[in-house]
Amino acid sequence: MRHALALGLALLSTSAIAAEPADQWQAKARTIYQHAIETPTVQGRGKVPELARYLADQYKAAGWAEADIHVLPYDGDPGDHTAALIVRWPAAKPSGKKPILLMAHMDVVEAKAEDWSPGLDPFKFQEKDGYFYGRGTSDIKEGVSAVTTALLKLRASGFQPTRDIIVFFTGDEETSGNGARLGATEWRKWTEAEFGLNSDGGGGGVTPDGRPLGFTLQTAEKTYAMYTLTVRNKGGHSSKPRPDNAIYQLAHAIEKLEGYRFTPMLNETTRAYFTVRAKGDKGALGDAMRAWLANPNDGKAADYIEASATEVGLTRTRCVATRLEGGHADNALPQLARATVNCRIMPGTEPAAIRAEIERLVGDPGVKVEQTGNPAMSLASPLRPDVVAAYTAAVHKRHPDAPIIPEMSTGASDARPFRVAGMPVYGVDGSWGVIPDDERAHGRDERLPVKAFYEDIDHWVDMLTMLAGK
Ligand SMILES: [Zn+2]
């Protein structure tokens, strides 16, 4: 997934300026980007291994040793063979510091040409009116290409890393996420690092007239968990209704869930996020943020924030009914009624605790509350001063006025299994888009400003120079 910055609601129009490749590195990045976009790495098409080998060849040609490059085939969803790419750049001047892991994913969400605007094809790379168009231009073949080119450029410039730099690109982030899970467990001998820097997170937003809204630094994401509420009943003939009825009983439980609000929670990331947001909002929403920050027990303030369209999901765990099934005949009392509930749980909260809370809330032993699957609790990564400083400096070099906004994402990415396994990960990409018109990840006419793409190469060069140089 790719979460673009959702701050401010600016009017639509584009002021991005076209930019020709200014040097061999921009030209190289563009070539890699085009090749990546035109390799349709959609689930089920089996194209990820091909892209992984192409990228491996780029590193090989630039001087990386065969032994440091691994294309690892694995299974994504059943029957879908995909691959991960792991490339190690061993420290030239070892400082004793543990490696840095650079992350992205090579797969993309499906797209159909007939759904896109005339003249655009999701798997045909196009530059038009200051934008690069194609599936994956913003999620996240841009990151794959910028990170790769940054490393090629650093190596060619004679840069001597003081710690190992490891590239880890997965092939099924958008679907089953097995690559990230393997990366955080079985493949740990190749991926072990002090922390990860994920290009599939962070990034910035600007208004149509070019005013920076801010760049996010993603440190946390909520846990995705599923629950079912099930009522069983002996049923009977519908001509003889009884007070006990599976559908009514379930409906009463769901009604309780609808009105329920979990206890608001602030963590290091959301506290930093709301501090920046409050500064930029002089209105009622800003007042609520200031009140909540001053008193985290001010539930009314948190409720006000939660109810706003821009902040929903950021103040607490949220659960919502997403599916419903019940009954087996038009003329029979239902024997079964079941609702599926999707929860997005705050980092640090166990999914089992949310199940217990829903059970208490429903307060009916006839409604069975069960967790499906086995989601791991997510953990927030601490705001490391070295990462925050490197990201801030790299962003401010190109966008001096942009606020840096720590972010907890309400969705999930490849970062989660690493955070759960104890390795902090930071979403720190340097690309940006015009808000809201360029927020098209997973959607039609996906695009990225040409300028944002080329800037991102040097953003990664600058961050790696700071974190893995000297
Ligand atoms: Zn993504």
Side-chain angles (χ1 to χ4, degrees), residues 1-3 105 107 138-140 173-174 200-201 413 442:
M1 92 141 225
R2 167 73 159 182
H3 175 77
H105 59 87
D107 59 310
S138 80
D139 184 8
I140 188 65
E173 191 270 351
E174 300 289 4
D200 195 20
S413 78
H442 298 201

PDB file of all heavy atoms in Angstrom, residues 1-3 105 107 138-140 173-174 200-201 413 442, ligand 1:
ATOM      1  N   MET A   1       0.832  -1.180   0.000  1.00  0.00           N
ATOM      2  CA  MET A   1       0.000   0.000   0.000  1.00  0.00           C
ATOM      3  C   MET A   1       0.862   1.224   0.000  1.00  0.00           C
ATOM      4  O   MET A   1       2.037   1.195   0.302  1.00  0.00           O
ATOM      5  CB  MET A   1      -0.934  -0.053   1.199  1.00  0.00           C
ATOM      6  CG  MET A   1      -0.473   0.611   2.472  1.00  0.00           C
ATOM      7  SD  MET A   1      -1.939   1.361   3.127  1.00  0.00           S
ATOM      8  CE  MET A   1      -1.343   2.942   3.589  1.00  0.00           C
ATOM      9  N   ARG A   2       0.304   2.303  -0.360  1.00  0.00           N
ATOM     10  CA  ARG A   2       1.040   3.547  -0.366  1.00  0.00           C
ATOM     11  C   ARG A   2       0.108   4.590   0.173  1.00  0.00           C
ATOM     12  O   ARG A   2      -0.934   4.855  -0.380  1.00  0.00           O
ATOM     13  CB  ARG A   2       1.458   3.872  -1.788  1.00  0.00           C
ATOM     14  CG  ARG A   2       1.955   5.290  -1.973  1.00  0.00           C
ATOM     15  CD  ARG A   2       3.309   5.481  -1.370  1.00  0.00           C
ATOM     16  NE  ARG A   2       3.945   6.658  -1.979  1.00  0.00           N
ATOM     17  CZ  ARG A   2       5.160   7.044  -1.678  1.00  0.00           C
ATOM     18  NH1 ARG A   2       5.866   6.379  -0.810  1.00  0.00           N
ATOM     19  NH2 ARG A   2       5.676   8.098  -2.243  1.00  0.00           N
ATOM     20  N   HIS A   3       0.495   5.197   1.280  1.00  0.00           N
ATOM     21  CA  HIS A   3      -0.347   6.202   1.888  1.00  0.00           C
ATOM     22  C   HIS A   3       0.200   7.562   1.550  1.00  0.00           C
ATOM     23  O   HIS A   3       1.251   7.962   2.024  1.00  0.00           O
ATOM     24  CB  HIS A   3      -0.379   6.008   3.390  1.00  0.00           C
ATOM     25  CG  HIS A   3      -1.124   7.079   4.118  1.00  0.00           C
ATOM     26  ND1 HIS A   3      -2.492   7.119   4.139  1.00  0.00           N
ATOM     27  CD2 HIS A   3      -0.698   8.149   4.798  1.00  0.00           C
ATOM     28  CE1 HIS A   3      -2.865   8.167   4.835  1.00  0.00           C
ATOM     29  NE2 HIS A   3      -1.806   8.820   5.248  1.00  0.00           N
ATOM     30  N   HIS A 105       8.537  -2.728  -2.592  1.00  0.00           N
ATOM     31  CA  HIS A 105       7.951  -3.940  -3.166  1.00  0.00           C
ATOM     32  C   HIS A 105       7.849  -3.800  -4.673  1.00  0.00           C
ATOM     33  O   HIS A 105       7.625  -2.705  -5.191  1.00  0.00           O
ATOM     34  CB  HIS A 105       6.601  -4.290  -2.536  1.00  0.00           C
ATOM     35  CG  HIS A 105       5.536  -3.242  -2.668  1.00  0.00           C
ATOM     36  ND1 HIS A 105       4.709  -3.169  -3.758  1.00  0.00           N
ATOM     37  CD2 HIS A 105       5.156  -2.234  -1.849  1.00  0.00           C
ATOM     38  CE1 HIS A 105       3.855  -2.169  -3.595  1.00  0.00           C
ATOM     39  NE2 HIS A 105       4.109  -1.567  -2.443  1.00  0.00           N
ATOM     40  N   ASP A 107       5.745  -5.696  -6.652  1.00  0.00           N
ATOM     41  CA  ASP A 107       4.412  -6.004  -7.183  1.00  0.00           C
ATOM     42  C   ASP A 107       3.534  -4.752  -7.192  1.00  0.00           C
ATOM     43  O   ASP A 107       3.820  -3.776  -6.491  1.00  0.00           O
ATOM     44  CB  ASP A 107       3.737  -7.101  -6.346  1.00  0.00           C
ATOM     45  CG  ASP A 107       3.593  -6.716  -4.881  1.00  0.00           C
ATOM     46  OD1 ASP A 107       4.604  -6.279  -4.283  1.00  0.00           O
ATOM     47  OD2 ASP A 107       2.477  -6.816  -4.324  1.00  0.00           O
ATOM     48  N   SER A 138       3.468   5.592  -8.563  1.00  0.00           N
ATOM     49  CA  SER A 138       3.561   6.135  -7.202  1.00  0.00           C
ATOM     50  C   SER A 138       3.616   5.034  -6.151  1.00  0.00           C
ATOM     51  O   SER A 138       4.058   5.269  -5.030  1.00  0.00           O
ATOM     52  CB  SER A 138       2.407   7.115  -6.930  1.00  0.00           C
ATOM     53  OG  SER A 138       1.214   6.434  -6.610  1.00  0.00           O
ATOM     54  N   ASP A 139       3.177   3.816  -6.469  1.00  0.00           N
ATOM     55  CA  ASP A 139       3.154   2.704  -5.487  1.00  0.00           C
ATOM     56  C   ASP A 139       3.671   1.441  -6.134  1.00  0.00           C
ATOM     57  O   ASP A 139       2.890   0.711  -6.716  1.00  0.00           O
ATOM     58  CB  ASP A 139       1.736   2.522  -4.964  1.00  0.00           C
ATOM     59  CG  ASP A 139       1.639   1.461  -3.875  1.00  0.00           C
ATOM     60  OD1 ASP A 139       2.685   0.973  -3.411  1.00  0.00           O
ATOM     61  OD2 ASP A 139       0.505   1.108  -3.495  1.00  0.00           O
ATOM     62  N   ILE A 140       4.937   1.019  -5.999  1.00  0.00           N
ATOM     63  CA  ILE A 140       5.993   1.868  -5.480  1.00  0.00           C
ATOM     64  C   ILE A 140       7.255   1.596  -6.312  1.00  0.00           C
ATOM     65  O   ILE A 140       8.348   1.436  -5.820  1.00  0.00           O
ATOM     66  CB  ILE A 140       6.175   1.596  -3.939  1.00  0.00           C
ATOM     67  CG1 ILE A 140       7.147   2.594  -3.291  1.00  0.00           C
ATOM     68  CG2 ILE A 140       6.586   0.162  -3.686  1.00  0.00           C
ATOM     69  CD1 ILE A 140       6.774   3.961  -3.259  1.00  0.00           C
ATOM     70  N   GLU A 173       3.590  -7.578  -1.634  1.00  0.00           N
ATOM     71  CA  GLU A 173       3.152  -6.679  -0.556  1.00  0.00           C
ATOM     72  C   GLU A 173       1.670  -6.367  -0.671  1.00  0.00           C
ATOM     73  O   GLU A 173       0.965  -6.245   0.319  1.00  0.00           O
ATOM     74  CB  GLU A 173       3.963  -5.381  -0.592  1.00  0.00           C
ATOM     75  CG  GLU A 173       3.766  -4.489   0.635  1.00  0.00           C
ATOM     76  CD  GLU A 173       2.625  -3.478   0.499  1.00  0.00           C
ATOM     77  OE1 GLU A 173       2.067  -3.323  -0.599  1.00  0.00           O
ATOM     78  OE2 GLU A 173       2.285  -2.844   1.518  1.00  0.00           O
ATOM     79  N   GLU A 174       1.193  -6.234  -1.916  1.00  0.00           N
ATOM     80  CA  GLU A 174      -0.194  -5.817  -2.127  1.00  0.00           C
ATOM     81  C   GLU A 174      -1.185  -6.943  -1.858  1.00  0.00           C
ATOM     82  O   GLU A 174      -2.391  -6.710  -1.813  1.00  0.00           O
ATOM     83  CB  GLU A 174      -0.388  -5.307  -3.561  1.00  0.00           C
ATOM     84  CG  GLU A 174       0.478  -4.101  -3.937  1.00  0.00           C
ATOM     85  CD  GLU A 174       0.038  -2.815  -3.247  1.00  0.00           C
ATOM     86  OE1 GLU A 174      -0.897  -2.869  -2.417  1.00  0.00           O
ATOM     87  OE2 GLU A 174       0.637  -1.777  -3.537  1.00  0.00           O
ATOM     88  N   ASP A 200       8.232   2.673   0.669  1.00  0.00           N
ATOM     89  CA  ASP A 200       6.773   2.564   0.565  1.00  0.00           C
ATOM     90  C   ASP A 200       6.113   3.224   1.783  1.00  0.00           C
ATOM     91  O   ASP A 200       5.203   2.669   2.395  1.00  0.00           O
ATOM     92  CB  ASP A 200       6.386   1.087   0.481  1.00  0.00           C
ATOM     93  CG  ASP A 200       4.955   0.890   0.020  1.00  0.00           C
ATOM     94  OD1 ASP A 200       4.400   1.818  -0.587  1.00  0.00           O
ATOM     95  OD2 ASP A 200       4.397  -0.198   0.270  1.00  0.00           O
ATOM     96  N   GLY A 201       6.575   4.394   2.130  1.00  0.00           N
ATOM     97  CA  GLY A 201       6.029   5.149   3.259  1.00  0.00           C
ATOM     98  C   GLY A 201       6.746   6.478   3.298  1.00  0.00           C
ATOM     99  O   GLY A 201       7.796   6.633   2.659  1.00  0.00           O
ATOM    100  N   SER A 413       1.767  -2.342   5.770  1.00  0.00           N
ATOM    101  CA  SER A 413       2.772  -2.482   4.716  1.00  0.00           C
ATOM    102  C   SER A 413       3.767  -3.557   5.123  1.00  0.00           C
ATOM    103  O   SER A 413       3.628  -4.209   6.155  1.00  0.00           O
ATOM    104  CB  SER A 413       3.500  -1.147   4.487  1.00  0.00           C
ATOM    105  OG  SER A 413       4.460  -0.937   5.495  1.00  0.00           O
ATOM    106  N   HIS A 442      -3.230   2.638  -6.502  1.00  0.00           N
ATOM    107  CA  HIS A 442      -4.262   1.597  -6.630  1.00  0.00           C
ATOM    108  C   HIS A 442      -5.413   2.049  -7.533  1.00  0.00           C
ATOM    109  O   HIS A 442      -6.327   1.274  -7.802  1.00  0.00           O
ATOM    110  CB  HIS A 442      -4.858   1.156  -5.279  1.00  0.00           C
ATOM    111  CG  HIS A 442      -3.864   0.546  -4.338  1.00  0.00           C
ATOM    112  ND1 HIS A 442      -4.232  -0.272  -3.297  1.00  0.00           N
ATOM    113  CD2 HIS A 442      -2.517   0.631  -4.286  1.00  0.00           C
ATOM    114  CE1 HIS A 442      -3.150  -0.664  -2.633  1.00  0.00           C
ATOM    115  NE2 HIS A 442      -2.093  -0.114  -3.217  1.00  0.00           N
TER     116      HIS A 442
HETATM  117 ZN    ZN B   1       2.978   0.039  -1.659  1.00  0.00          ZN
END
